[in-house]
Tab-separated table of all heavy atoms in Angstrom:
chain	number	residue	atom	x	y	z
A	482	GLY	N	-27.908	-7.400	-4.907
A	482	GLY	CA	-28.618	-7.890	-6.091
A	482	GLY	C	-28.486	-6.957	-7.276
A	482	GLY	O	-29.418	-6.815	-8.075
A	483	VAL	N	-27.330	-6.275	-7.395
A	483	VAL	CA	-27.133	-5.402	-8.559
A	483	VAL	C	-25.979	-5.931	-9.411
A	483	VAL	O	-25.100	-6.615	-8.910
A	483	VAL	CB	-26.841	-3.928	-8.154
A	483	VAL	CG1	-28.085	-3.267	-7.619
A	483	VAL	CG2	-25.695	-3.836	-7.164
A	484	LYS	N	-26.042	-5.580	-10.688
A	484	LYS	CA	-25.012	-6.068	-11.629
A	484	LYS	C	-23.728	-5.265	-11.478
A	484	LYS	O	-23.755	-4.109	-11.096
A	484	LYS	CB	-25.520	-5.874	-13.051
A	484	LYS	CG	-26.451	-6.943	-13.507
A	484	LYS	CD	-26.375	-7.003	-15.049
A	484	LYS	CE	-27.623	-7.651	-15.593
A	484	LYS	NZ	-28.492	-6.729	-16.308
A	485	PHE	N	-22.627	-5.935	-11.825
A	485	PHE	CA	-21.343	-5.228	-11.821
A	485	PHE	C	-20.651	-5.538	-13.134
A	485	PHE	O	-20.183	-6.645	-13.350
A	485	PHE	CB	-20.508	-5.697	-10.624
A	485	PHE	CG	-19.137	-5.096	-10.585
A	485	PHE	CD1	-18.967	-3.734	-10.409
A	485	PHE	CD2	-18.006	-5.884	-10.749
A	485	PHE	CE1	-17.705	-3.165	-10.390
A	485	PHE	CE2	-16.737	-5.328	-10.724
A	485	PHE	CZ	-16.593	-3.967	-10.545
A	486	GLU	N	-20.652	-4.552	-14.037
A	486	GLU	CA	-20.027	-4.776	-15.352
A	486	GLU	C	-19.009	-3.684	-15.610
A	486	GLU	O	-19.280	-2.503	-15.357
A	486	GLU	CB	-21.093	-4.738	-16.446
A	486	GLU	CG	-21.918	-5.996	-16.487
A	486	GLU	CD	-23.202	-5.814	-17.284
A	486	GLU	OE1	-23.589	-4.656	-17.536
A	486	GLU	OE2	-23.814	-6.830	-17.628
A	487	LEU	N	-17.869	-4.128	-16.153
A	487	LEU	CA	-16.776	-3.156	-16.285
A	487	LEU	C	-16.722	-2.444	-17.636
A	487	LEU	O	-15.872	-1.585	-17.828
A	487	LEU	CB	-15.440	-3.867	-16.050
A	487	LEU	CG	-15.105	-4.147	-14.593
A	487	LEU	CD1	-13.901	-5.051	-14.485
A	487	LEU	CD2	-14.859	-2.855	-13.826
A	488	GLU	N	-17.638	-2.751	-18.518
A	488	GLU	CA	-17.496	-2.180	-19.876
A	488	GLU	C	-17.558	-0.657	-19.921
A	488	GLU	O	-16.808	-0.009	-20.602
A	488	GLU	CB	-18.568	-2.725	-20.834
A	488	GLU	CG	-18.242	-4.090	-21.398
A	488	GLU	CD	-18.814	-5.172	-20.507
A	488	GLU	OE1	-20.050	-5.249	-20.409
A	488	GLU	OE2	-18.038	-5.921	-19.883
A	489	LYS	N	-18.502	-0.098	-19.152
A	489	LYS	CA	-18.657	1.366	-19.262
A	489	LYS	C	-17.894	2.071	-18.143
A	489	LYS	O	-17.369	1.415	-17.233
A	489	LYS	CB	-20.135	1.721	-19.211
A	489	LYS	CG	-20.836	1.128	-18.027
A	489	LYS	CD	-22.306	1.411	-18.040
A	489	LYS	CE	-22.895	0.725	-16.823
A	489	LYS	NZ	-24.262	0.766	-16.649
A	490	ASP	N	-17.850	3.393	-18.227
A	490	ASP	CA	-17.173	4.182	-17.198
A	490	ASP	C	-18.073	4.269	-15.962
A	490	ASP	O	-18.979	5.104	-15.884
A	490	ASP	CB	-16.868	5.576	-17.768
A	490	ASP	CG	-16.064	6.415	-16.791
A	490	ASP	OD1	-16.072	6.101	-15.586
A	490	ASP	OD2	-15.429	7.388	-17.236
A	491	LEU	N	-17.824	3.372	-15.015
A	491	LEU	CA	-18.697	3.294	-13.836
A	491	LEU	C	-18.545	4.514	-12.930
A	491	LEU	O	-19.469	4.874	-12.207
A	491	LEU	CB	-18.373	2.031	-13.034
A	491	LEU	CG	-19.021	0.755	-13.554
A	491	LEU	CD1	-18.483	-0.457	-12.809
A	491	LEU	CD2	-20.530	0.823	-13.399
A	492	ILE	N	-17.380	5.128	-12.953
A	492	ILE	CA	-17.169	6.292	-12.083
A	492	ILE	C	-18.007	7.463	-12.589
A	492	ILE	O	-18.650	8.178	-11.813
A	492	ILE	CB	-15.670	6.672	-12.032
A	492	ILE	CG1	-14.847	5.477	-11.544
A	492	ILE	CG2	-15.434	7.886	-11.152
A	492	ILE	CD1	-15.202	4.962	-10.167
A	493	GLN	N	-18.023	7.593	-13.911
A	493	GLN	CA	-18.845	8.663	-14.477
A	493	GLN	C	-20.322	8.405	-14.162
A	493	GLN	O	-21.060	9.314	-13.793
A	493	GLN	CB	-18.619	8.716	-15.983
A	493	GLN	CG	-19.097	10.028	-16.556
A	493	GLN	CD	-19.217	9.939	-18.069
A	493	GLN	OE1	-19.263	8.838	-18.641
A	493	GLN	NE2	-19.251	11.077	-18.701
A	494	GLU	N	-20.711	7.136	-14.280
A	494	GLU	CA	-22.103	6.790	-13.998
A	494	GLU	C	-22.465	7.113	-12.543
A	494	GLU	O	-23.494	7.699	-12.263
A	494	GLU	CB	-22.314	5.299	-14.305
A	494	GLU	CG	-23.748	4.841	-14.229
A	494	GLU	CD	-23.982	3.863	-13.084
A	494	GLU	OE1	-23.933	4.288	-11.920
A	494	GLU	OE2	-24.221	2.711	-13.359
A	495	LEU	N	-21.543	6.762	-11.633
A	495	LEU	CA	-21.816	7.059	-10.214
A	495	LEU	C	-21.922	8.568	-9.986
A	495	LEU	O	-22.727	9.021	-9.177
A	495	LEU	CB	-20.687	6.524	-9.324
A	495	LEU	CG	-20.596	5.026	-9.086
A	495	LEU	CD1	-19.411	4.724	-8.167
A	495	LEU	CD2	-21.877	4.470	-8.478
A	496	SER	N	-21.101	9.332	-10.719
A	496	SER	CA	-21.069	10.780	-10.521
A	496	SER	C	-22.387	11.443	-10.934
A	496	SER	O	-22.650	12.581	-10.554
A	496	SER	CB	-19.960	11.437	-11.329
A	496	SER	OG	-18.766	10.768	-11.103
A	497	LEU	N	-23.193	10.724	-11.721
A	497	LEU	CA	-24.482	11.312	-12.114
A	497	LEU	C	-25.486	11.240	-10.961
A	497	LEU	O	-26.477	11.952	-10.948
A	497	LEU	CB	-25.057	10.584	-13.336
A	497	LEU	CG	-24.201	10.643	-14.614
A	497	LEU	CD1	-24.822	9.783	-15.711
A	497	LEU	CD2	-24.059	12.092	-15.090
A	498	GLY	N	-25.218	10.359	-10.021
A	498	GLY	CA	-26.081	10.244	-8.836
A	498	GLY	C	-27.529	9.934	-9.176
A	498	GLY	O	-28.447	10.519	-8.614
A	499	LYS	N	-27.724	8.980	-10.084
A	499	LYS	CA	-29.113	8.694	-10.521
A	499	LYS	C	-29.967	8.078	-9.408
A	499	LYS	O	-31.134	8.366	-9.292
A	499	LYS	CB	-29.085	7.775	-11.742
A	499	LYS	CG	-28.741	8.522	-13.026
A	499	LYS	CD	-29.426	7.885	-14.212
A	499	LYS	CE	-28.400	7.477	-15.231
A	499	LYS	NZ	-28.266	6.183	-15.696
A	500	TRP	N	-29.419	7.228	-8.646
A	500	TRP	CA	-30.135	6.581	-7.547
A	500	TRP	C	-31.501	6.034	-7.998
A	500	TRP	O	-32.544	6.378	-7.439
A	500	TRP	CB	-30.278	7.558	-6.345
A	500	TRP	CG	-29.015	7.657	-5.535
A	500	TRP	CD1	-27.754	7.600	-6.017
A	500	TRP	CD2	-28.892	7.814	-4.118
A	500	TRP	NE1	-26.845	7.708	-4.992
A	500	TRP	CE2	-27.518	7.851	-3.813
A	500	TRP	CE3	-29.800	7.927	-3.058
A	500	TRP	CZ2	-27.034	7.997	-2.519
A	500	TRP	CZ3	-29.322	8.078	-1.758
A	500	TRP	CH2	-27.949	8.112	-1.503
A	501	ASP	N	-31.446	5.184	-9.037
A	501	ASP	CA	-32.713	4.627	-9.533
A	501	ASP	C	-32.656	3.097	-9.622
A	501	ASP	O	-33.370	2.477	-10.377
A	501	ASP	CB	-33.033	5.226	-10.910
A	501	ASP	CG	-31.910	4.969	-11.920
A	501	ASP	OD1	-30.894	4.340	-11.536
A	501	ASP	OD2	-32.033	5.396	-13.074
A	502	GLU	N	-31.758	2.493	-8.812
A	502	GLU	CA	-31.601	1.034	-8.841
A	502	GLU	C	-32.743	0.336	-8.092
A	502	GLU	O	-33.278	0.876	-7.119
A	502	GLU	CB	-30.307	0.617	-8.121
A	502	GLU	CG	-29.035	1.028	-8.782
A	502	GLU	CD	-28.670	0.159	-9.957
A	502	GLU	OE1	-29.122	-1.004	-10.015
A	502	GLU	OE2	-27.929	0.659	-10.829
A	503	THR	N	-33.037	-0.881	-8.552
A	503	THR	CA	-33.904	-1.747	-7.749
A	503	THR	C	-32.986	-2.782	-7.103
A	503	THR	O	-32.180	-3.415	-7.793
A	503	THR	CB	-34.937	-2.460	-8.641
A	503	THR	OG1	-35.752	-1.454	-9.219
A	503	THR	CG2	-35.788	-3.429	-7.834
A	504	PHE	N	-33.075	-2.934	-5.805
A	504	PHE	CA	-32.212	-3.897	-5.109
A	504	PHE	C	-32.982	-5.186	-4.833
A	504	PHE	O	-34.144	-5.141	-4.425
A	504	PHE	CB	-31.703	-3.297	-3.793
A	504	PHE	CG	-30.877	-2.057	-4.013
A	504	PHE	CD1	-31.387	-0.791	-3.716
A	504	PHE	CD2	-29.613	-2.143	-4.555
A	504	PHE	CE1	-30.638	0.355	-3.949
A	504	PHE	CE2	-28.850	-1.006	-4.803
A	504	PHE	CZ	-29.369	0.247	-4.489
A	505	MET	N	-32.334	-6.312	-5.099
A	505	MET	CA	-32.926	-7.629	-4.765
A	505	MET	C	-32.024	-8.198	-3.686
A	505	MET	O	-31.043	-8.882	-4.002
A	505	MET	CB	-32.898	-8.543	-5.984
A	505	MET	CG	-33.263	-7.829	-7.265
A	505	MET	SD	-34.964	-8.045	-7.637
A	505	MET	CE	-34.840	-9.391	-8.742
A	506	LEU	N	-32.349	-7.903	-2.464
A	506	LEU	CA	-31.416	-8.178	-1.367
A	506	LEU	C	-31.266	-9.669	-1.093
A	506	LEU	O	-32.241	-10.428	-1.160
A	506	LEU	CB	-31.893	-7.455	-0.114
A	506	LEU	CG	-32.035	-5.939	-0.278
A	506	LEU	CD1	-32.537	-5.302	1.001
A	506	LEU	CD2	-30.712	-5.308	-0.684
A	507	GLN	N	-30.021	-10.031	-0.807
A	507	GLN	CA	-29.747	-11.436	-0.461
A	507	GLN	C	-28.866	-11.480	0.760
A	507	GLN	O	-27.904	-10.712	0.850
A	507	GLN	CB	-28.984	-12.089	-1.598
A	507	GLN	CG	-29.857	-12.354	-2.778
A	507	GLN	CD	-29.048	-13.004	-3.875
A	507	GLN	OE1	-28.279	-13.897	-3.608
A	507	GLN	NE2	-29.238	-12.537	-5.089
A	508	LYS	N	-29.204	-12.413	1.655
A	508	LYS	CA	-28.373	-12.543	2.861
A	508	LYS	C	-27.061	-13.236	2.503
A	508	LYS	O	-27.073	-14.210	1.748
A	508	LYS	CB	-29.110	-13.384	3.893
A	508	LYS	CG	-29.959	-12.557	4.811
A	508	LYS	CD	-30.301	-13.354	6.038
A	508	LYS	CE	-30.897	-12.425	7.058
A	508	LYS	NZ	-31.455	-13.114	8.174
A	509	ILE	N	-25.970	-12.725	3.047
A	509	ILE	CA	-24.684	-13.414	2.867
A	509	ILE	C	-24.018	-13.557	4.234
A	509	ILE	O	-24.440	-12.898	5.193
A	509	ILE	CB	-23.735	-12.643	1.911
A	509	ILE	CG1	-23.551	-11.185	2.386
A	509	ILE	CG2	-24.223	-12.686	0.489
A	509	ILE	CD1	-22.435	-10.457	1.673
A	510	ASP	N	-22.968	-14.369	4.286
A	510	ASP	CA	-22.203	-14.462	5.536
A	510	ASP	C	-21.611	-13.099	5.827
A	510	ASP	O	-21.461	-12.287	4.919
A	510	ASP	CB	-21.042	-15.450	5.370
A	510	ASP	CG	-21.531	-16.868	5.497
A	510	ASP	OD1	-22.686	-17.046	5.911
A	510	ASP	OD2	-20.749	-17.785	5.144
A	511	MET	N	-21.195	-12.886	7.060
A	511	MET	CA	-20.571	-11.606	7.386
A	511	MET	C	-19.431	-11.328	6.399
A	511	MET	O	-18.623	-12.211	6.129
A	511	MET	CB	-19.983	-11.651	8.799
A	511	MET	CG	-21.036	-11.670	9.889
A	511	MET	SD	-22.036	-10.193	9.877
A	511	MET	CE	-20.947	-9.040	10.660
A	512	LEU	N	-19.394	-10.109	5.872
A	512	LEU	CA	-18.361	-9.765	4.880
A	512	LEU	C	-16.951	-9.875	5.462
A	512	LEU	O	-16.035	-10.364	4.833
A	512	LEU	CB	-18.554	-8.319	4.435
A	512	LEU	CG	-19.225	-8.008	3.117
A	512	LEU	CD1	-19.043	-6.540	2.793
A	512	LEU	CD2	-18.688	-8.864	1.986
A	513	PHE	N	-16.800	-9.371	6.691
A	513	PHE	CA	-15.478	-9.359	7.316
A	513	PHE	C	-15.577	-9.945	8.721
A	513	PHE	O	-16.512	-9.610	9.448
A	513	PHE	CB	-14.934	-7.930	7.416
A	513	PHE	CG	-14.777	-7.283	6.078
A	513	PHE	CD1	-15.723	-6.382	5.618
A	513	PHE	CD2	-13.700	-7.592	5.265
A	513	PHE	CE1	-15.592	-5.782	4.373
A	513	PHE	CE2	-13.556	-7.003	4.016
A	513	PHE	CZ	-14.509	-6.095	3.574
A	514	VAL	N	-14.622	-10.795	9.052
A	514	VAL	CA	-14.622	-11.384	10.388
A	514	VAL	C	-13.583	-10.657	11.232
A	514	VAL	O	-12.459	-10.430	10.786
A	514	VAL	CB	-14.263	-12.889	10.315
A	514	VAL	CG1	-14.333	-13.522	11.691
A	514	VAL	CG2	-15.191	-13.587	9.355
A	515	LYS	N	-13.991	-10.295	12.438
A	515	LYS	CA	-13.028	-9.621	13.313
A	515	LYS	C	-11.927	-10.604	13.699
A	515	LYS	O	-12.225	-11.767	13.981
A	515	LYS	CB	-13.728	-9.142	14.590
A	515	LYS	CG	-14.682	-8.020	14.318
A	515	LYS	CD	-15.162	-7.442	15.606
A	515	LYS	CE	-16.090	-6.302	15.298
A	515	LYS	NZ	-16.523	-5.596	16.478
A	516	PRO	N	-10.683	-10.138	13.752
A	516	PRO	CA	-9.577	-11.062	14.042
A	516	PRO	C	-9.798	-11.857	15.319
A	516	PRO	O	-9.524	-13.051	15.359
A	516	PRO	CB	-8.371	-10.143	14.172
A	516	PRO	CG	-8.729	-8.938	13.397
A	516	PRO	CD	-10.214	-8.789	13.476
Side-chain angles (χ1 to χ4, degrees):
V483 288
K484 279 205 202 111
F485 176 65
E486 284 164 344
L487 282 170
E488 279 91 65
K489 52 184 178 184
D490 185 340
L491 278 172
I492 303 300
Q493 197 195 18
E494 188 246 70
L495 286 180
S496 310
L497 299 175
K499 282 211 238 123
W500 281 35
D501 57 359
E502 293 282 336
T503 297
F504 299 106
M505 319 264 264
L506 302 179
Q507 286 180 44
K508 270 198 168 170
I509 54 168
D510 280 349
M511 289 298 282
L512 259 191
F513 299 101
V514 183
K515 291 189 179 185

